[in-house]
């Protein structure tokens, strides 16, 4: 800061400068006085310490004199009595004397040395006298004793002189300390008085320089507040008081302008009132005291029934009571006083919410909002036209919901109606193929296999169409879970390997995931990767297919599938993700397909919060890549988890149960114990695999729908493990995923169309050595006849029921060994049959195999899982089938090992 600017700063800030200078002077005075007092206290403390030292030496010298006197007494007594006690007491006194002399040696070494010499001479003569008396030579003893007395007198005189010198020195030191303390007190009092006088003078001077100008400013402001047009304004200047003078002048000018603005405001207020009167809505303003401040003509028209009582200053409560008397806006089940209290409370808590009420036979929308001063603005809008339009919209929405419901019902019916005849086609084709092989009709086998292959292809097409229809209808649901990506990529790579190798291709997987986890629909992500990799394998021969996964800079997961296939033109690319569309007609002829896979993949990725794109060129292959967010918020679900627990140990056959639901695990455990097995329980896939490898079980009961890692990946890993590959696995599931089930070898779960040999195998395993008696409950005649023919050939006694109601009638008179149950039937469907079976004690243990072509919704899946006891796949009531299957595998395993 330059010298000029520093001078300007001091000129413009005189108050802080004066106050600061005053404070600095006072602080310096206090500091100087304090320094003097500290110095005096320090000197006085030194004097006190010297006095203490002198007094300590004096006390030590007095003790030495006393100890010498005591020693002389005992030595004299020794010469007379010749007692050993006197000699010992004299020695003790001498030791204490020596200790005193040691303390005094640093202060008076010469005197102490003389005393020691005299003491030693005295002690020596005293002992010589005692020895002479002991020998009976009293003359010699008296001589020595006289010499000893001479030496003791010299020592006593030296000690007395030392005590006297020390006493004099102590008195002198004490007197000096006292004088110094008095002088310090005098100086401190003097310094304090001087500081107070100087501080008072300076404070009065500073206050005068501040308060006088402030008084002038205060008088001017008071005059302006009273509305006086005073001319005695404080002068302007560079310092604070000058700036205050400028402010006062500015205040005077602002008051003049305010008076002008008030006149203009009154004019604008009149204009505002005119504008309020012209708006089409009723307007009312209530003040902070809940009294009516203003309202317009429309407001009066709306409340025409109380128009005579409306007035400015009317309280809100009086307004409501007047409205209550007319019955406007009061519901039929509300008492009058309750209505007034409730409306008054809403008025006080106004936050801008809209409310629709009936007033004077018309619908009015009421909106109230607080003003900044605590008042309330109320707007009443006539919405009769809006209500009519809303009713029309509601009707249109109901019609749309009805159409959506009809479409959903159509999809459910279509799923059943399309798959049911396919069940007969595929089933009869399999049966006729076996009969042709048995009868030697080789020429017919090829045709029958073509029928079977076409039926299965048609079933696959129907499944894709129904998936796409569910997506369009908004019925496709996500099952969100958190899981590690790396194991999923390994699982997909291993599963798709046969398709890759079919055309002599090579799969390369690159990823840098580590332990990264994603929260999304695991099954749909796996299906998307399967679709892209299978497409790449189909259109590539003798090439490389690359699957790459990495994290983007934004934290998303990026997936890409690159192939070296035929590629596409830009025109073909534009049609790529359209349903039922392929690149061109030649693609369909040469490679097959329906064109639904990529459309479904795109919709699945969109549902999971991602997007898919493709880069391609003719003859150079294609690269499909999509991104997914790391977290997709799942729908609220009740989940139970727990650590794996081992059931009680023993020599019983060990069965491993892997299920994420605690209740299901406990139910299965109790069931297994009752049948003589030793259950081991695991709450998740990783824990189950660890337990299986630690102690291989005789069989595994495996749930499919589990968080983090599902049952399919567990089955694949078990089949790849040499130790666990032969372990029987019984699948416990509610999903109808036939490809996954067949690929991983899951047992005791059937989905239409049902393979003949699979149905027979499951039934034989369920029944074992029991009577081969089965009830088929299905409304489709072809399905019932197909099942009857298949079962009759195997020696089963078959009873048929066309629906659930007829089945319950048959069960009242005859209980079969097991039941084959369809879900979608008239009168009483499969779900209701399962519920009815639970109500009858004698039917609860009957095994039920659900054979259905229905696409189950999330609610239906949840119901089946909740009522697993009624289905062969889950629960206590189906344990006969489950235990029989376990016994079959346990019995078969030792036979295989032998």
């Amino acid at each position: 800061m330059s010298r000029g600017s520093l001078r300007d700063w001091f000129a413009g800030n005189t108050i802080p400068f004066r106050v600061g200078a005053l404070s600095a002077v006072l602080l310096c005075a206090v500091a100087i006085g304090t320094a003097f007092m500290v110095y005096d206290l320090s000197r006085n403390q030194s004097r006190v310490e010297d006095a203490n030292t002198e007094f300590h030496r004096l006390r030590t010298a007095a003790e030495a004199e006393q100890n010498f006197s005591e020693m002389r007494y005992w030595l004299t007594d020794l010469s007379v009595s010749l007692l050993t006690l006197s000699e010992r007491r004299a020695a003790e006194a001498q030791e204490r004397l020596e200790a005193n002399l040691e303390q005094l040696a640093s202060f008076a070494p010469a005197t102490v040395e003389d005393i020691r010499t005299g003491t030693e001479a005295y002690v020596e003569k005293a002992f010589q006298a005692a020895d002479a008396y002991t020998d009976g030579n009293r003359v010699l003893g008296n001589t020595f004793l006289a010499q000893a007395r001479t030496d003791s007198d010299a020592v006593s005189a030296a000690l007395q002189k030392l005590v006297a010198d020390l006493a004099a020195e102590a008195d002198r030191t004490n007197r000096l300390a006292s004088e110094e303390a008095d002088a310090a007190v005098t100086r401190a009092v003097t310094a304090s008085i001087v500081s107070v006088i100087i501080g008072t003078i300076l404070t009065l001077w500073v206050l005068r320089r501040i308060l006088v100008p402030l008084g002038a400013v205060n008088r001017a402001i008071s005059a302006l507040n009273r509305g006086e047009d005073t001319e005695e304004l404080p002068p302007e200047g560079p310092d604070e008081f000058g700036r205050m003078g400028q402010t006062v002048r500015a205040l005077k000018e602002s008051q003049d302008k305010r008076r002008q603005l008030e006149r203009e405001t009154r004019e604008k207020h009149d204009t505002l009132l005119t504008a309020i009167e012209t708006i089409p809505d009723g307007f009312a303003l209530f003040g902070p005291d809940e009294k009516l401040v203003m309202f317009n003509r429309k407001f009066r028209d709306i409340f025409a029934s109380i128009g005579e009582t409306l007035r400015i200053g009317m309280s809100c409560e009086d307004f409501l009571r007047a409205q209550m008397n007319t019955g406007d806006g009061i519901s039929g089940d509300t008492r009058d006083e309750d209505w007034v209290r409730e409306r008054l409370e809403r008025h006080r808590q106004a936050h801008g919410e809209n409310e629709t009420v009936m007033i004077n036979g018309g619908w009015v929308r009421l909106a109230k909002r607080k003003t900044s001063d605590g008042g309330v603005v109320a707007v009443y809008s006539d919405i009769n036209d809006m209500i009519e339009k809303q009713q029309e919209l509601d009707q249109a929405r109901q019609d749309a919901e009805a159409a959506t419901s009809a479409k959903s019902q159509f999809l459910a019916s279509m799923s059943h109606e399309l798959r049911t005849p396919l069940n007969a086609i595929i089933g009869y084709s399999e049966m006729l193929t076996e009969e042709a092989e048995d009868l030697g009709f080789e020429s017919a086998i090829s045709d029958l296999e073509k029928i079977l292959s076409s039926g299965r292809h048609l079933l696959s097409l129907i499944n894709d169409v129904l998936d796409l229809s569910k997506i369009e209808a908004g019925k496709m649901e996500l099952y969100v879970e958190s899981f590690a990506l790396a194991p999923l990529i390994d699982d997909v790579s291993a599963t798709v390997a046969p398709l890759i190798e079919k055309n002599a291709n090579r799969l390369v997987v690159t990823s840098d995931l580590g332990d990264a986890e994603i929260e999304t629909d695991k099954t749909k992500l796996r299906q998307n990767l399967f679709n892209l990799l299978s497409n790449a394998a189909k259109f590539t021969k003798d090439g490389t297919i690359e699957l790459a996964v990495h994290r983007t800079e934004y934290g998303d997961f990026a997936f890409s599938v690159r192939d070296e296939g035929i590629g596409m033109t830009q025109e073909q690319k534009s049609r790529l993700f359209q349903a039922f569309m392929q690149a061109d007609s030649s693609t369909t002829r040469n490679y097959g397909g329906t064109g639904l896979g990529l459309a479904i993949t795109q919709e699945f990725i969109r549902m999971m919060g991602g997007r898919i794109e493709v880069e391609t060129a003719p003859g150079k292959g294609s690269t499909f890549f999509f991104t997914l967010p790391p977290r997709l918020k799942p729908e609220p679900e009740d989940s139970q988890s727990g650590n794996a627990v081992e059931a009680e140990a023993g020599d019983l056959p060990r069965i491993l149960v892997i299920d994420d639901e605690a209740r299901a695990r406990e139910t299965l455990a109790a069931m297994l114990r009752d049948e003589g097995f030793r259950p081991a329980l695991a709450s998740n896939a990783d824990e189950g695999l660890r337990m299986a490898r630690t102690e291989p079980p005789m069989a595994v009961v495996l749930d499919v729908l589990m968080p983090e890692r599902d049952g399919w990946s567990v089955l694949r890993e078990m089949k790849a493990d040499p130790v666990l590959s032969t372990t029987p696995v019984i699948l416990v599931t509610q999903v109808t995923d036939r490809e996954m089930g067949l690929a991983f070898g899951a047992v005791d779960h059937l989905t239409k169309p049902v393979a003949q040999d699979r149905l027979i195998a499951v039934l034989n395993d369920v029944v074992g050595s029991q009577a081969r008696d089965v009830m088929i409950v299905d409304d489709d005649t072809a399905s019932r006849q197909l099942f009857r023919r298949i079962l009759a050939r195997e020696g089963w006694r078959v009873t048929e029921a066309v629906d659930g109601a007829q089945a319950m009638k048959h069960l009242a008179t005859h209980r079969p060994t097991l039941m084959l149950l369809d879900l979608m039937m008239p009168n009483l469907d499969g779900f209701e049959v399962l519920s009815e079976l639970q109500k009858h004690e004698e039917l609860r243990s009957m095994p039920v195999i659900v054979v259905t072509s229905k696409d189950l919704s999330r609610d239906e899946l949840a119901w089946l899982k909740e009522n697993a006891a009624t289905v062969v796949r889950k629960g206590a009531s189906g344990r006969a089938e489950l235990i029989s299957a376990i016994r079959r595998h346990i019995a078969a395993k030792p036979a295989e090992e032998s």
Side-chain angles (χ1 to χ4, degrees):
M1 181 179 292
S2 65
R3 181 177 301 176
S5 59
L6 184 62
R7 183 171 54 254
D8 294 339
W9 185 88
F10 281 119
N13 296 274
T14 58
I15 292 177
F17 173 72
R18 292 166 182 170
V19 174
L22 174 62
S23 301
V25 171
L26 294 178
L27 287 175
C28 289
V30 171
I32 293 172
T34 302
F36 276 112
M37 286 189 288
V38 169
Y39 174 73
D40 289 339
L41 289 175
S42 176
R43 291 187 59 188
N44 190 49
Q45 178 67 23
S46 177
R47 294 294 184 183
V48 171
E49 291 177 355
D50 292 342
N52 289 336
T53 302
E54 295 298 333
F55 280 116
H56 177 70
R57 291 171 180 171
L58 177 61
R59 185 176 62 252
T60 303
E63 290 177 356
E65 183 180 10
Q66 181 181 357
N67 289 327
F68 178 77
S69 298
E70 185 177 351
M71 180 187 69
R72 184 172 59 182
Y73 168 78
W74 289 112
L75 287 176
T76 303
D77 185 69
L78 175 64
S79 301
V80 176
S81 61
L82 302 180
L83 295 176
T84 306
L85 176 61
S86 298
E87 182 180 0
R88 187 168 63 251
R89 293 287 177 81
E92 293 173 356
Q94 185 179 7
E95 290 178 359
R96 291 193 297 273
L97 174 61
E98 182 61 29
N100 296 140
L101 294 177
E102 187 67 28
Q103 295 178 9
L104 295 171
S106 61
F107 168 69
T111 303
V112 169
E113 185 62 29
D114 293 340
I115 293 172
R116 282 176 175 168
T117 302
T119 301
E120 291 174 358
Y122 167 70
V123 171
E124 181 181 1
K125 298 298 182 179
F127 276 106
Q128 289 177 351
D131 291 339
Y133 287 133
T134 302
D135 297 336
N137 191 349
R138 297 189 64 83
V139 176
L140 183 60
N142 290 335
T143 302
F144 286 135
L145 187 59
Q147 294 176 355
R149 188 175 296 110
T150 301
D151 293 334
S152 69
D153 291 340
V155 172
S156 295
L159 286 172
Q160 289 173 0
K161 182 178 182 304
L162 179 61
V163 170
D165 293 342
L166 289 175
E169 183 65 21
D171 290 340
R172 186 183 65 81
T173 304
N174 186 44
R175 185 174 60 258
L176 290 176
S178 178
E179 292 174 354
E180 287 291 340
D182 293 340
V185 170
T186 301
R187 285 192 295 270
V189 171
T190 302
S192 299
I193 292 173
V194 171
S195 298
V196 169
I197 293 173
I198 294 174
T200 302
I201 293 172
L202 291 176
T203 301
L204 292 175
W205 179 77
V206 171
L207 288 177
R208 184 177 181 280
R209 298 298 297 272
I210 295 175
L211 295 178
V212 170
L214 282 179
V217 172
N218 181 59
R219 287 190 298 274
I221 293 176
S222 298
L224 292 176
N225 288 335
R226 292 192 298 269
E228 299 175 0
D229 191 10
T230 180
E231 296 296 335
E232 297 181 3
L233 299 178
E236 299 182 9
D239 60 0
E240 297 93 331
F241 304 110
R243 291 195 295 271
M244 289 182 185
Q246 294 175 358
T247 303
V248 172
R249 294 176 184 275
L251 177 61
K252 183 177 183 302
E253 294 174 358
S254 68
Q255 282 188 341
D256 295 338
K257 292 182 180 179
R258 185 187 66 183
R259 295 187 184 96
Q260 181 181 356
L261 289 175
E262 286 176 351
R263 291 192 296 271
E264 296 175 355
T265 300
R266 282 193 295 270
E267 294 174 359
K268 292 180 179 179
H269 180 263
D270 296 337
T271 304
L272 176 62
L273 290 178
T274 303
I276 290 175
E277 287 293 339
T278 60
I279 62 176
D281 297 329
F283 175 88
L285 174 62
F286 292 86
D289 56 355
E290 299 182 358
K291 291 185 178 181
L292 195 58
V293 176
M294 69 171 61
F295 57 86
N296 63 358
R297 185 178 297 105
K298 182 65 176 179
F299 178 81
R300 183 182 292 276
D301 293 340
I302 292 175
F303 294 97
S305 58
I306 60 172
E308 296 180 357
T309 60
L310 277 177
R311 67 186 185 281
I312 300 298
M314 184 181 188
S315 69
C316 181
E317 183 175 357
D318 292 340
F319 168 72
L320 292 173
R321 290 190 180 279
Q323 186 180 353
M324 176 190 69
N325 294 331
T326 65
D328 285 335
I330 303 178
S331 59
D333 57 348
T334 303
R335 294 186 304 174
D336 294 346
E337 292 300 326
D338 293 340
W339 181 85
V340 171
R341 283 194 296 271
E342 187 249 340
R343 300 302 303 181
L344 192 59
E345 182 63 25
R346 288 192 181 186
H347 176 85
R348 292 167 178 167
Q349 300 296 329
H351 296 296
E353 297 88 351
N354 292 331
E355 180 184 4
T356 302
V357 295
M358 177 73 74
I359 300 177
N360 278 342
W363 289 105
V364 175
R365 182 172 61 195
L366 169 61
K368 289 187 176 183
R369 183 179 297 276
K370 288 278 189 180
T371 61
S372 59
D373 62 350
V376 174
V377 173
V379 178
Y380 297 79
S381 304
D382 187 345
I383 58 171
N384 285 302
D385 293 340
M386 186 183 299
I387 292 294
E388 293 177 1
K389 293 180 180 179
Q390 182 63 41
Q391 291 174 349
E392 295 175 359
L393 291 175
D394 290 342
Q395 184 61 44
R397 179 179 55 80
Q398 293 175 5
D399 294 341
E401 290 176 351
T404 301
S405 176
K407 183 176 182 180
S408 300
Q409 294 176 1
F410 171 77
L411 287 176
S413 175
M414 183 61 66
S415 171
H416 179 75
E417 296 300 329
L418 289 177
R419 287 171 177 161
T420 297
L422 278 176
N423 179 54
I425 293 173
I426 295 174
Y428 278 113
S429 299
E430 291 177 340
M431 186 175 62
L432 290 174
T433 300
E434 291 182 0
E435 291 180 352
E437 291 176 349
D438 295 340
L439 297 176
F441 295 156
E442 298 294 335
S443 60
I445 293 176
S446 176
D447 294 333
L448 292 172
E449 288 179 346
K450 291 177 182 178
I451 295 173
L452 180 60
S453 175
S454 298
R456 289 174 175 168
H457 177 71
L458 180 58
L459 178 63
S460 174
L461 175 61
I462 290 171
N463 288 335
D464 288 342
V465 172
L466 290 175
D467 278 346
L468 188 62
S469 299
K470 285 195 291 183
I471 292 174
E472 293 176 349
K475 297 297 182 180
M476 184 63 70
E477 297 173 311
L478 293 177
Y479 296 84
V480 180
E481 57 183 300
S482 180
F483 57 91
L485 262 181
L488 175 67
I489 299 302
D490 295 341
D491 177 28
V492 170
S493 302
T495 305
V496 81
L499 292 176
I500 301 294
E501 296 170 357
K502 184 177 180 180
N503 287 340
N505 294 315
R506 184 172 65 93
L507 177 63
V508 177
V509 179
T510 59
S511 67
D512 55 355
L513 297 175
D515 298 330
E517 292 190 352
I518 188 172
E519 188 174 292
T520 189
D521 189 315
K522 186 176 184 179
T523 302
K524 288 182 174 57
L525 176 56
R526 182 190 290 111
Q527 183 175 343
N528 292 339
L529 295 174
F530 283 164
N531 286 344
L532 296 178
L533 288 170
S534 61
N535 273 354
K538 181 168 63 174
F539 293 107
T540 305
K541 291 185 179 180
D542 298 321
T544 299
I545 297 172
E546 180 180 357
L547 169 61
V549 187
H550 67 277
R551 297 293 291 267
T552 68
E553 59 179 332
Y554 303 107
D556 294 339
F557 289 96
F559 303 81
S560 65
V561 176
R562 185 184 63 83
D563 63 60
E564 298 176 350
I566 60 176
M568 292 176 287
T569 65
Q570 290 300 315
E571 181 182 359
Q572 293 170 335
K573 176 183 174 181
S574 64
R575 300 193 300 267
L576 189 60
F577 294 106
Q578 299 178 20
F580 305 102
M581 296 289 290
Q582 288 200 341
D584 54 30
S585 58
S586 63
T587 303
T588 305
R589 289 194 305 270
N590 296 330
Y591 298 96
T594 62
L596 290 177
L598 289 177
I600 293 174
T601 297
Q602 183 186 49
E603 293 301 326
F604 281 173
I605 292 174
R606 286 177 180 173
M607 291 174 64
M608 293 187 289
R611 58 186 178 85
I612 184 171
E613 297 179 6
V614 60
E615 293 180 354
T616 182
K620 296 183 179 180
S622 304
T623 301
F624 289 84
F625 52 90
F626 63 91
T627 58
L628 291 179
R631 293 288 181 269
L632 180 63
K633 186 177 181 181
E635 296 179 6
E637 277 189 356
D638 293 332
S639 62
Q640 298 179 358
S641 62
N643 296 328
V645 295
E646 276 284 353
E648 57 187 14
D651 297 331
L652 300 175
R654 184 172 181 269
I655 307 300
L656 176 59
V657 178
I658 305 176
D659 198 313
D660 63 305
E661 289 193 358
R663 186 174 63 179
R665 293 196 304 273
E666 295 302 325
T667 301
L668 289 171
M671 178 180 66
L672 292 169
R673 293 190 191 97
D674 292 343
E675 296 295 329
F677 296 102
R678 178 166 60 94
L681 310 181
S683 64
N684 56 69
D686 292 334
E687 184 69 12
L689 288 170
R690 184 190 63 77
M691 295 173 63
R693 292 189 176 101
T694 302
E695 183 181 354
M698 298 296 290
V700 175
V701 178
L702 176 63
D703 184 23
V704 170
L705 290 180
M706 294 187 293
E708 298 182 1
R709 186 175 180 186
D710 59 23
W712 304 122
S713 59
V714 176
L715 281 170
R716 187 192 65 77
E717 187 167 339
M718 291 182 64
K719 296 303 179 183
D721 192 320
V723 178
L724 303 176
S725 60
T726 59
T727 302
V729 178
I730 298 177
L731 188 64
V732 180
T733 180
Q734 301 88 20
V735 294
T736 56
D737 194 334
R738 62 191 185 288
E739 287 87 357
M740 297 293 284
L742 293 173
F744 293 128
V747 297
D748 298 340
H749 172 72
L750 304 178
T751 303
K752 289 182 179 180
V754 179
Q756 174 183 344
D757 56 347
R758 180 168 176 75
L759 174 62
I760 296 303
V762 171
L763 295 180
N764 289 335
D765 293 338
V766 169
V767 175
S769 60
Q770 302 181 52
R772 305 167 74 83
D773 188 359
V774 62
M775 176 182 289
I776 302 173
V777 186
D778 198 319
D779 63 319
D780 182 65
T781 303
S783 296
R784 294 199 309 274
Q785 292 178 353
L786 172 62
F787 291 149
R788 172 181 283 278
R789 291 189 60 180
I790 294 173
L791 296 172
R793 290 176 57 190
E794 298 294 327
W796 287 78
R797 178 177 177 273
V798 180
T799 303
E800 296 184 21
V802 298
D803 56 29
Q806 190 179 64
M808 296 307 300
K809 291 181 181 179
H810 289 331
L811 291 174
T813 58
H814 174 69
R815 181 187 184 279
T817 306
L818 58 85
M819 175 186 290
L820 293 182
L821 178 64
D822 187 21
L823 290 180
M824 294 187 65
M825 297 181 296
N827 298 330
L828 195 70
D829 62 24
F831 292 101
E832 294 171 324
V833 171
L834 291 172
S835 298
E836 288 296 324
L837 293 179
Q838 279 291 311
K839 299 177 182 178
H840 298 79
E841 183 69 29
E842 67 278 6
L843 298 178
R844 290 181 182 176
S845 62
M846 182 180 65
V848 178
I849 299 177
V850 175
V851 184
T852 181
S853 57
K854 173 177 171 54
D855 279 325
L856 299 178
S857 67
R858 181 187 291 269
D859 292 339
E860 290 169 333
L861 288 174
W863 187 91
L864 285 176
K865 200 162 189 177
E866 188 70 21
N867 294 271
T870 66
V871 187
V872 67
R873 295 164 299 179
K874 271 201 175 194
S877 296
R879 65 183 182 179
E881 177 183 5
L882 180 61
I883 297 302
S884 297
I886 294 174
R887 290 188 184 281
R888 182 258 304 175
H889 290 300
I890 291 176
K893 189 171 183 179
E896 293 172 0
E897 293 175 353
S898 62

